[in-house]
Amino acid sequence: LTDPVAGLSELARVLRPGSTLSGGTALKGGSSELSRASAHTGGHPFDVEELRRCLLAGGFVDVEIESAGEVLLFAARRRD
């Protein structure tokens, strides 16, 4: 995504209020195959705080992020 906040805002728009979005993304600066593939395909790897800021700006609350190696796993609730 060239504009992660716009993409997350669109996800929030189509989810019911209070719904949970969960997923995973490549960790910025990682050296894994996922990180290389993400960079090669125009993906947007994140660090924890950047992902948190984007989710909050995109209309989500109760953001939880967990690092699993070079992957960030997240869950966030759509704002009511």
Side-chain angles (χ1 to χ4, degrees), residues 16-42:
R16 290 184 185 149
S19 296
T20 298
L21 173 70
S22 60
T25 187
L27 177 64
K28 185 180 278 185
S31 60
S32 70
E33 186 69 32
L34 176 63
S35 295
R36 287 192 298 276
S38 180
H40 179 71
T41 59

Side-chain angles (χ1 to χ4, degrees), residues 39-74:
H40 179 71
T41 59
H44 187 97
F46 292 88
D47 62 42
V48 172
E49 288 310 311
E50 179 184 18
L51 179 56
R52 182 179 314 283
R53 283 191 304 273
C54 287
L55 286 162
L56 292 170
F60 292 90
V61 295
D62 301 332
V63 175
E64 297 178 11
I65 302 172
E66 179 181 325
S67 180
E70 294 191 22
V71 175
L72 295 176
L73 304 174
F74 65 88

